Each structure stands twice: as C-alpha cells, then as structure tokens.
mmCIF file of all heavy atoms in Angstrom:
data_model
loop_
_atom_site.group_PDB
_atom_site.id
_atom_site.type_symbol
_atom_site.label_atom_id
_atom_site.label_comp_id
_atom_site.label_asym_id
_atom_site.label_seq_id
_atom_site.Cartn_x
_atom_site.Cartn_y
_atom_site.Cartn_z
ATOM 1 N N ALA W 1003 -8.756 20.095 -19.237
ATOM 2 C CA ALA W 1003 -9.754 19.078 -19.588
ATOM 3 C C ALA W 1003 -10.757 19.647 -20.591
ATOM 4 O O ALA W 1003 -11.197 18.941 -21.505
ATOM 5 C CB ALA W 1003 -10.466 18.571 -18.337
ATOM 6 N N GLU W 1004 -11.100 20.914 -20.448
ATOM 7 C CA GLU W 1004 -11.983 21.547 -21.435
ATOM 8 C C GLU W 1004 -11.343 21.547 -22.824
ATOM 9 O O GLU W 1004 -12.037 21.595 -23.825
ATOM 10 C CB GLU W 1004 -12.291 22.994 -21.020
ATOM 11 C CG GLU W 1004 -13.196 23.110 -19.823
ATOM 12 C CD GLU W 1004 -13.370 24.539 -19.341
ATOM 13 O OE1 GLU W 1004 -12.499 25.406 -19.624
ATOM 14 O OE2 GLU W 1004 -14.385 24.796 -18.668
ATOM 15 N N ARG W 1005 -10.026 21.464 -22.867
ATOM 16 C CA ARG W 1005 -9.292 21.462 -24.134
ATOM 17 C C ARG W 1005 -8.975 20.052 -24.633
ATOM 18 O O ARG W 1005 -8.194 19.878 -25.553
ATOM 19 C CB ARG W 1005 -8.019 22.275 -23.976
ATOM 20 C CG ARG W 1005 -8.295 23.771 -23.862
ATOM 21 C CD ARG W 1005 -7.037 24.541 -23.485
ATOM 22 N NE ARG W 1005 -7.207 25.971 -23.650
ATOM 23 C CZ ARG W 1005 -7.831 26.786 -22.806
ATOM 24 N NH1 ARG W 1005 -8.388 26.279 -21.721
ATOM 25 N NH2 ARG W 1005 -7.910 28.075 -23.043
ATOM 26 N N GLY W 1006 -9.537 19.022 -23.964
ATOM 27 C CA GLY W 1006 -9.427 17.659 -24.476
ATOM 28 C C GLY W 1006 -8.500 16.717 -23.734
ATOM 29 O O GLY W 1006 -8.339 15.570 -24.140
ATOM 30 N N PHE W 1007 -7.905 17.161 -22.645
ATOM 31 C CA PHE W 1007 -7.016 16.306 -21.858
ATOM 32 C C PHE W 1007 -7.773 15.684 -20.690
ATOM 33 O O PHE W 1007 -8.646 16.324 -20.101
ATOM 34 C CB PHE W 1007 -5.856 17.121 -21.269
ATOM 35 C CG PHE W 1007 -4.924 17.696 -22.291
ATOM 36 C CD1 PHE W 1007 -5.187 18.924 -22.881
ATOM 37 C CD2 PHE W 1007 -3.771 17.018 -22.651
ATOM 38 C CE1 PHE W 1007 -4.325 19.470 -23.822
ATOM 39 C CE2 PHE W 1007 -2.896 17.556 -23.588
ATOM 40 C CZ PHE W 1007 -3.179 18.775 -24.177
ATOM 41 N N LEU W 1008 -7.422 14.454 -20.327
ATOM 42 C CA LEU W 1008 -7.842 13.904 -19.043
ATOM 43 C C LEU W 1008 -6.819 14.440 -18.051
ATOM 44 O O LEU W 1008 -5.608 14.311 -18.271
ATOM 45 C CB LEU W 1008 -7.830 12.381 -19.060
ATOM 46 C CG LEU W 1008 -8.312 11.709 -17.779
ATOM 47 C CD1 LEU W 1008 -8.991 10.388 -18.103
ATOM 48 C CD2 LEU W 1008 -7.213 11.528 -16.772
ATOM 49 N N THR W 1009 -7.290 15.067 -16.984
ATOM 50 C CA THR W 1009 -6.359 15.695 -16.048
ATOM 51 C C THR W 1009 -6.641 15.295 -14.617
ATOM 52 O O THR W 1009 -7.768 14.922 -14.272
ATOM 53 C CB THR W 1009 -6.424 17.238 -16.149
ATOM 54 O OG1 THR W 1009 -7.740 17.667 -15.771
ATOM 55 C CG2 THR W 1009 -6.093 17.730 -17.540
ATOM 56 N N ILE W 1010 -5.601 15.393 -13.804
ATOM 57 C CA ILE W 1010 -5.773 15.279 -12.364
ATOM 58 C C ILE W 1010 -5.031 16.449 -11.710
ATOM 59 O O ILE W 1010 -3.958 16.851 -12.157
ATOM 60 C CB ILE W 1010 -5.272 13.934 -11.786
ATOM 61 C CG1 ILE W 1010 -3.798 13.686 -12.099
ATOM 62 C CG2 ILE W 1010 -6.136 12.784 -12.274
ATOM 63 C CD1 ILE W 1010 -3.208 12.477 -11.389
ATOM 64 N N ALA W 1011 -5.655 16.996 -10.686
ATOM 65 C CA ALA W 1011 -5.008 17.974 -9.810
ATOM 66 C C ALA W 1011 -4.928 17.288 -8.455
ATOM 67 O O ALA W 1011 -5.947 16.848 -7.927
ATOM 68 C CB ALA W 1011 -5.822 19.255 -9.725
ATOM 69 N N PHE W 1012 -3.716 17.156 -7.917
ATOM 70 C CA PHE W 1012 -3.585 16.390 -6.680
ATOM 71 C C PHE W 1012 -3.011 17.233 -5.542
ATOM 72 O O PHE W 1012 -2.280 18.195 -5.766
ATOM 73 C CB PHE W 1012 -2.736 15.138 -6.895
ATOM 74 C CG PHE W 1012 -1.292 15.384 -7.258
ATOM 75 C CD1 PHE W 1012 -0.308 15.456 -6.277
ATOM 76 C CD2 PHE W 1012 -0.910 15.533 -8.587
ATOM 77 C CE1 PHE W 1012 1.020 15.671 -6.619
ATOM 78 C CE2 PHE W 1012 0.415 15.740 -8.941
ATOM 79 C CZ PHE W 1012 1.385 15.817 -7.943
ATOM 80 N N ASP W 1013 -3.405 16.854 -4.323
ATOM 81 C CA ASP W 1013 -2.783 17.413 -3.131
ATOM 82 C C ASP W 1013 -1.517 16.619 -2.872
ATOM 83 O O ASP W 1013 -1.562 15.386 -2.809
ATOM 84 C CB ASP W 1013 -3.706 17.287 -1.914
ATOM 85 C CG ASP W 1013 -4.881 18.235 -1.944
ATOM 86 O OD1 ASP W 1013 -4.777 19.300 -2.585
ATOM 87 O OD2 ASP W 1013 -5.904 17.923 -1.307
ATOM 88 N N PRO W 1014 -0.371 17.289 -2.710
ATOM 89 C CA PRO W 1014 0.855 16.547 -2.423
ATOM 90 C C PRO W 1014 0.814 15.912 -1.037
ATOM 91 O O PRO W 1014 -0.060 16.230 -0.219
ATOM 92 C CB PRO W 1014 1.944 17.620 -2.517
ATOM 93 C CG PRO W 1014 1.249 18.907 -2.296
ATOM 94 C CD PRO W 1014 -0.155 18.730 -2.784
ATOM 95 N N SER W 1015 1.747 15.035 -0.780
ATOM 96 C CA SER W 1015 1.867 14.415 0.540
ATOM 97 C C SER W 1015 1.857 15.480 1.638
ATOM 98 O O SER W 1015 2.422 16.560 1.458
ATOM 99 C CB SER W 1015 3.186 13.636 0.634
ATOM 100 O OG SER W 1015 3.194 12.554 -0.256
ATOM 101 N N PHE W 1016 1.192 15.176 2.723
ATOM 102 C CA PHE W 1016 1.148 16.018 3.924
ATOM 103 C C PHE W 1016 0.279 17.266 3.771
ATOM 104 O O PHE W 1016 0.325 18.163 4.603
ATOM 105 C CB PHE W 1016 2.559 16.441 4.369
ATOM 106 C CG PHE W 1016 3.578 15.345 4.341
ATOM 107 C CD1 PHE W 1016 4.647 15.393 3.472
ATOM 108 C CD2 PHE W 1016 3.468 14.244 5.178
ATOM 109 C CE1 PHE W 1016 5.591 14.384 3.435
ATOM 110 C CE2 PHE W 1016 4.410 13.223 5.150
ATOM 111 C CZ PHE W 1016 5.473 13.291 4.278
ATOM 112 N N THR W 1017 -0.497 17.361 2.680
ATOM 113 C CA THR W 1017 -1.236 18.590 2.390
ATOM 114 C C THR W 1017 -2.673 18.266 2.002
ATOM 115 O O THR W 1017 -2.943 17.259 1.353
ATOM 116 C CB THR W 1017 -0.554 19.351 1.227
ATOM 117 O OG1 THR W 1017 0.808 19.576 1.566
ATOM 118 C CG2 THR W 1017 -1.212 20.686 0.955
ATOM 119 N N GLY W 1018 -3.599 19.159 2.348
ATOM 120 C CA GLY W 1018 -4.994 19.031 1.923
ATOM 121 C C GLY W 1018 -5.600 17.701 2.337
ATOM 122 O O GLY W 1018 -5.430 17.251 3.473
ATOM 123 N N GLU W 1019 -6.287 17.064 1.391
ATOM 124 C CA GLU W 1019 -6.946 15.793 1.679
ATOM 125 C C GLU W 1019 -6.006 14.594 1.588
ATOM 126 O O GLU W 1019 -6.396 13.479 1.922
ATOM 127 C CB GLU W 1019 -8.113 15.572 0.707
ATOM 128 C CG GLU W 1019 -9.286 16.507 0.918
ATOM 129 C CD GLU W 1019 -10.445 16.202 -0.013
ATOM 130 O OE1 GLU W 1019 -10.233 16.177 -1.257
ATOM 131 O OE2 GLU W 1019 -11.557 15.979 0.493
ATOM 132 N N SER W 1020 -4.783 14.800 1.135
ATOM 133 C CA SER W 1020 -3.834 13.683 1.012
ATOM 134 C C SER W 1020 -3.321 13.252 2.381
ATOM 135 O O SER W 1020 -3.412 13.985 3.364
ATOM 136 C CB SER W 1020 -2.658 14.076 0.109
ATOM 137 O OG SER W 1020 -3.071 14.090 -1.237
ATOM 138 N N GLY W 1021 -2.766 12.049 2.401
ATOM 139 C CA GLY W 1021 -2.258 11.479 3.635
ATOM 140 C C GLY W 1021 -0.871 11.976 3.992
ATOM 141 O O GLY W 1021 -0.311 12.863 3.344
ATOM 142 N N GLY W 1022 -0.339 11.339 5.007
ATOM 143 C CA GLY W 1022 0.965 11.711 5.547
ATOM 144 C C GLY W 1022 0.776 12.285 6.933
ATOM 145 O O GLY W 1022 -0.078 13.155 7.134
ATOM 146 N N ASN W 1023 1.545 11.794 7.879
ATOM 147 C CA ASN W 1023 1.327 12.162 9.280
ATOM 148 C C ASN W 1023 1.866 13.536 9.651
ATOM 149 O O ASN W 1023 1.286 14.212 10.472
ATOM 150 C CB ASN W 1023 1.948 11.102 10.196
ATOM 151 C CG ASN W 1023 1.195 9.798 10.102
ATOM 152 O OD1 ASN W 1023 -0.004 9.790 9.882
ATOM 153 N ND2 ASN W 1023 1.892 8.688 10.248
ATOM 154 N N VAL W 1024 2.960 13.957 9.100
ATOM 155 C CA VAL W 1024 3.462 15.294 9.377
ATOM 156 C C VAL W 1024 2.743 16.224 8.412
ATOM 157 O O VAL W 1024 2.778 16.024 7.199
ATOM 158 C CB VAL W 1024 4.989 15.363 9.157
ATOM 159 C CG1 VAL W 1024 5.502 16.750 9.444
ATOM 160 C CG2 VAL W 1024 5.691 14.329 10.010
ATOM 161 N N ARG W 1025 2.078 17.235 8.889
ATOM 162 C CA ARG W 1025 1.283 18.093 8.021
ATOM 163 C C ARG W 1025 2.050 19.353 7.623
ATOM 164 O O ARG W 1025 2.913 19.838 8.361
ATOM 165 C CB ARG W 1025 -0.023 18.502 8.713
ATOM 166 C CG ARG W 1025 -0.894 17.313 9.133
ATOM 167 C CD ARG W 1025 -1.182 16.333 8.022
ATOM 168 N NE ARG W 1025 -2.085 16.908 7.028
ATOM 169 C CZ ARG W 1025 -2.379 16.329 5.878
ATOM 170 N NH1 ARG W 1025 -1.859 15.158 5.558
ATOM 171 N NH2 ARG W 1025 -3.190 16.892 5.033
ATOM 172 N N TYR W 1026 1.718 19.857 6.449
ATOM 173 C CA TYR W 1026 2.210 21.142 5.944
ATOM 174 C C TYR W 1026 3.732 21.218 5.881
ATOM 175 O O TYR W 1026 4.343 22.175 6.345
ATOM 176 C CB TYR W 1026 1.636 22.302 6.764
ATOM 177 C CG TYR W 1026 0.158 22.143 6.993
ATOM 178 C CD1 TYR W 1026 -0.349 21.906 8.263
ATOM 179 C CD2 TYR W 1026 -0.726 22.161 5.923
ATOM 180 C CE1 TYR W 1026 -1.700 21.726 8.464
ATOM 181 C CE2 TYR W 1026 -2.088 21.979 6.116
ATOM 182 C CZ TYR W 1026 -2.565 21.768 7.393
ATOM 183 O OH TYR W 1026 -3.897 21.578 7.582
ATOM 184 N N MET W 1027 4.330 20.215 5.295
ATOM 185 C CA MET W 1027 5.773 20.229 5.075
ATOM 186 C C MET W 1027 6.058 19.821 3.639
ATOM 187 O O MET W 1027 5.186 19.308 2.963
ATOM 188 C CB MET W 1027 6.503 19.310 6.051
ATOM 189 C CG MET W 1027 6.227 17.831 5.866
ATOM 190 S SD MET W 1027 7.571 16.799 6.401
ATOM 191 C CE MET W 1027 8.470 16.541 4.916
ATOM 192 N N ALA W 1028 7.261 20.092 3.208
ATOM 193 C CA ALA W 1028 7.664 19.713 1.855
ATOM 194 C C ALA W 1028 8.937 18.883 1.930
ATOM 195 O O ALA W 1028 9.763 19.077 2.812
ATOM 196 C CB ALA W 1028 7.899 20.960 1.008
ATOM 197 N N SER W 1029 9.071 17.962 1.002
ATOM 198 C CA SER W 1029 10.264 17.139 0.883
ATOM 199 C C SER W 1029 10.527 16.954 -0.607
ATOM 200 O O SER W 1029 9.708 16.337 -1.293
ATOM 201 C CB SER W 1029 10.045 15.774 1.544
ATOM 202 O OG SER W 1029 11.024 14.852 1.116
ATOM 203 N N PRO W 1030 11.629 17.475 -1.122
ATOM 204 C CA PRO W 1030 11.896 17.302 -2.556
ATOM 205 C C PRO W 1030 11.841 15.841 -3.000
ATOM 206 O O PRO W 1030 11.305 15.546 -4.074
ATOM 207 C CB PRO W 1030 13.297 17.892 -2.735
ATOM 208 C CG PRO W 1030 13.408 18.894 -1.635
ATOM 209 C CD PRO W 1030 12.659 18.293 -0.470
ATOM 210 N N ASP W 1031 12.342 14.924 -2.205
ATOM 211 C CA ASP W 1031 12.300 13.507 -2.572
ATOM 212 C C ASP W 1031 10.867 12.989 -2.641
ATOM 213 O O ASP W 1031 10.456 12.384 -3.631
ATOM 214 C CB ASP W 1031 13.081 12.653 -1.568
ATOM 215 C CG ASP W 1031 14.575 12.894 -1.610
ATOM 216 O OD1 ASP W 1031 15.045 13.531 -2.563
ATOM 217 O OD2 ASP W 1031 15.261 12.450 -0.682
ATOM 218 N N ILE W 1032 10.115 13.214 -1.584
ATOM 219 C CA ILE W 1032 8.749 12.700 -1.529
ATOM 220 C C ILE W 1032 7.875 13.414 -2.547
ATOM 221 O O ILE W 1032 7.061 12.791 -3.238
ATOM 222 C CB ILE W 1032 8.173 12.812 -0.102
ATOM 223 C CG1 ILE W 1032 8.954 11.882 0.832
ATOM 224 C CG2 ILE W 1032 6.687 12.475 -0.083
ATOM 225 C CD1 ILE W 1032 8.607 12.028 2.304
ATOM 226 N N ASN W 1033 8.037 14.713 -2.686
ATOM 227 C CA ASN W 1033 7.176 15.461 -3.610
ATOM 228 C C ASN W 1033 7.488 15.165 -5.069
ATOM 229 O O ASN W 1033 6.584 15.188 -5.915
ATOM 230 C CB ASN W 1033 7.236 16.952 -3.306
ATOM 231 C CG ASN W 1033 6.690 17.286 -1.929
ATOM 232 O OD1 ASN W 1033 7.188 18.177 -1.261
ATOM 233 N ND2 ASN W 1033 5.675 16.565 -1.476
ATOM 234 N N THR W 1034 8.726 14.876 -5.398
ATOM 235 C CA THR W 1034 9.046 14.402 -6.747
ATOM 236 C C THR W 1034 8.363 13.059 -6.973
ATOM 237 O O THR W 1034 7.765 12.817 -8.022
ATOM 238 C CB THR W 1034 10.567 14.289 -6.946
ATOM 239 O OG1 THR W 1034 11.137 15.594 -6.812
ATOM 240 C CG2 THR W 1034 10.926 13.712 -8.296
ATOM 241 N N GLU W 1035 8.405 12.203 -5.984
ATOM 242 C CA GLU W 1035 7.720 10.906 -6.075
ATOM 243 C C GLU W 1035 6.214 11.085 -6.201
ATOM 244 O O GLU W 1035 5.548 10.308 -6.882
ATOM 245 C CB GLU W 1035 8.068 10.038 -4.867
ATOM 246 C CG GLU W 1035 7.208 8.805 -4.682
ATOM 247 C CD GLU W 1035 7.150 7.865 -5.881
ATOM 248 O OE1 GLU W 1035 8.096 7.843 -6.692
ATOM 249 O OE2 GLU W 1035 6.141 7.152 -6.024
ATOM 250 N N ASP W 1036 5.645 12.123 -5.566
ATOM 251 C CA ASP W 1036 4.210 12.388 -5.719
ATOM 252 C C ASP W 1036 3.862 12.576 -7.192
ATOM 253 O O ASP W 1036 2.878 12.010 -7.685
ATOM 254 C CB ASP W 1036 3.797 13.647 -4.941
ATOM 255 C CG ASP W 1036 3.823 13.467 -3.429
ATOM 256 O OD1 ASP W 1036 3.854 12.319 -2.945
ATOM 257 O OD2 ASP W 1036 3.802 14.504 -2.738
ATOM 258 N N PHE W 1037 4.662 13.391 -7.899
ATOM 259 C CA PHE W 1037 4.422 13.597 -9.331
ATOM 260 C C PHE W 1037 4.584 12.279 -10.099
ATOM 261 O O PHE W 1037 3.801 11.968 -10.998
ATOM 262 C CB PHE W 1037 5.377 14.643 -9.909
ATOM 263 C CG PHE W 1037 4.730 15.951 -10.271
ATOM 264 C CD1 PHE W 1037 5.309 17.142 -9.890
ATOM 265 C CD2 PHE W 1037 3.559 16.000 -11.025
ATOM 266 C CE1 PHE W 1037 4.736 18.366 -10.233
ATOM 267 C CE2 PHE W 1037 2.980 17.212 -11.375
ATOM 268 C CZ PHE W 1037 3.569 18.401 -10.970
ATOM 269 N N MET W 1038 5.600 11.482 -9.743
ATOM 270 C CA MET W 1038 5.804 10.205 -10.434
ATOM 271 C C MET W 1038 4.639 9.250 -10.168
ATOM 272 O O MET W 1038 4.214 8.511 -11.062
ATOM 273 C CB MET W 1038 7.143 9.589 -10.027
ATOM 274 C CG MET W 1038 8.324 10.404 -10.558
ATOM 275 S SD MET W 1038 9.923 9.804 -10.017
ATOM 276 C CE MET W 1038 10.161 8.489 -11.201
ATOM 277 N N ALA W 1039 4.095 9.272 -8.948
ATOM 278 C CA ALA W 1039 2.930 8.437 -8.632
ATOM 279 C C ALA W 1039 1.709 8.896 -9.429
ATOM 280 O O ALA W 1039 0.893 8.068 -9.862
ATOM 281 C CB ALA W 1039 2.639 8.481 -7.129
ATOM 282 N N ALA W 1040 1.583 10.204 -9.653
ATOM 283 C CA ALA W 1040 0.489 10.715 -10.485
ATOM 284 C C ALA W 1040 0.633 10.201 -11.915
ATOM 285 O O ALA W 1040 -0.357 9.815 -12.550
ATOM 286 C CB ALA W 1040 0.473 12.247 -10.456
ATOM 287 N N VAL W 1041 1.865 10.164 -12.415
ATOM 288 C CA VAL W 1041 2.117 9.628 -13.760
ATOM 289 C C VAL W 1041 1.816 8.129 -13.776
ATOM 290 O O VAL W 1041 1.232 7.622 -14.747
ATOM 291 C CB VAL W 1041 3.555 9.941 -14.222
ATOM 292 C CG1 VAL W 1041 3.877 9.236 -15.539
ATOM 293 C CG2 VAL W 1041 3.748 11.449 -14.366
ATOM 294 N N ASP W 1042 2.171 7.412 -12.714
ATOM 295 C CA ASP W 1042 1.801 5.991 -12.603
ATOM 296 C C ASP W 1042 0.292 5.838 -12.746
ATOM 297 O O ASP W 1042 -0.198 5.016 -13.529
ATOM 298 C CB ASP W 1042 2.197 5.406 -11.239
ATOM 299 C CG ASP W 1042 3.683 5.232 -11.045
ATOM 300 O OD1 ASP W 1042 4.438 5.262 -12.027
ATOM 301 O OD2 ASP W 1042 4.095 5.079 -9.868
ATOM 302 N N PHE W 1043 -0.446 6.619 -11.965
ATOM 303 C CA PHE W 1043 -1.907 6.544 -11.988
ATOM 304 C C PHE W 1043 -2.446 6.799 -13.393
ATOM 305 O O PHE W 1043 -3.284 6.054 -13.896
ATOM 306 C CB PHE W 1043 -2.511 7.546 -10.991
ATOM 307 C CG PHE W 1043 -4.005 7.643 -11.088
ATOM 308 C CD1 PHE W 1043 -4.818 6.702 -10.465
ATOM 309 C CD2 PHE W 1043 -4.601 8.658 -11.817
ATOM 310 C CE1 PHE W 1043 -6.193 6.772 -10.577
ATOM 311 C CE2 PHE W 1043 -5.979 8.741 -11.936
ATOM 312 C CZ PHE W 1043 -6.777 7.802 -11.313
ATOM 313 N N LEU W 1044 -1.962 7.860 -14.025
ATOM 314 C CA LEU W 1044 -2.447 8.191 -15.368
ATOM 315 C C LEU W 1044 -2.086 7.122 -16.378
ATOM 316 O O LEU W 1044 -2.906 6.741 -17.220
ATOM 317 C CB LEU W 1044 -1.893 9.550 -15.814
ATOM 318 C CG LEU W 1044 -2.438 10.769 -15.067
ATOM 319 C CD1 LEU W 1044 -1.667 12.014 -15.468
ATOM 320 C CD2 LEU W 1044 -3.934 10.937 -15.297
ATOM 321 N N SER W 1045 -0.863 6.616 -16.305
ATOM 322 C CA SER W 1045 -0.419 5.645 -17.312
ATOM 323 C C SER W 1045 -1.188 4.336 -17.227
ATOM 324 O O SER W 1045 -1.272 3.607 -18.212
ATOM 325 C CB SER W 1045 1.085 5.391 -17.196
ATOM 326 O OG SER W 1045 1.393 4.699 -16.008
ATOM 327 N N LEU W 1046 -1.773 4.043 -16.070
ATOM 328 C CA LEU W 1046 -2.546 2.813 -15.886
ATOM 329 C C LEU W 1046 -4.045 3.006 -16.097
ATOM 330 O O LEU W 1046 -4.807 2.038 -16.089
ATOM 331 C CB LEU W 1046 -2.291 2.234 -14.495
ATOM 332 C CG LEU W 1046 -0.852 1.797 -14.227
ATOM 333 C CD1 LEU W 1046 -0.669 1.422 -12.763
ATOM 334 C CD2 LEU W 1046 -0.458 0.655 -15.153
ATOM 335 N N ASN W 1047 -4.470 4.258 -16.298
ATOM 336 C CA ASN W 1047 -5.882 4.545 -16.490
ATOM 337 C C ASN W 1047 -6.292 4.124 -17.903
ATOM 338 O O ASN W 1047 -5.645 4.497 -18.885
ATOM 339 C CB ASN W 1047 -6.142 6.037 -16.274
ATOM 340 C CG ASN W 1047 -7.603 6.387 -16.285
ATOM 341 O OD1 ASN W 1047 -8.304 6.153 -17.265
ATOM 342 N ND2 ASN W 1047 -8.059 6.945 -15.183
#
C-alpha cells in the first residue's frame, strides 16, 4: 500500500478473526475459495 496499491491482508477460514466453526484447519478447496472471495471483494470495491 505504501507503494500505491490498495491491499487487503485476510485471515483464512477457520483462523484468526475469520469465521468457520472448526478452528485451525486447512482445506485446499475452501482456502482457494478464500482467495477468490478476496478477489471478489476487491473487484467490487
């Protein structure tokens, strides 16, 4: 962002402040979708 980009750093599903009932796990399907949802958010901003 200091270099001119609008940026987001996100907690993936099940981690940190993000939602999801099972905590501290990874799922390639869900986590790939997390990145795609971030792109959705940015593209609509």
Side-chain angles (χ1 to χ4, degrees):
E1004 289 174 337
R1005 289 171 168 79
F1007 295 87
L1008 182 148
T1009 63
I1010 58 172
F1012 65 92
D1013 287 334
S1015 295
F1016 316 115
T1017 305
E1019 291 183 305
S1020 286
N1023 292 328
V1024 180
R1025 302 307 290 172
Y1026 314 113
M1027 67 152 266
S1029 163
D1031 292 347
I1032 294 172
N1033 296 144
T1034 297
E1035 167 55 26
D1036 289 344
F1037 251 133
M1038 292 176 82
V1041 173
D1042 289 344
F1043 173 81
L1044 291 172
S1045 69
L1046 297 172
N1047 187 301

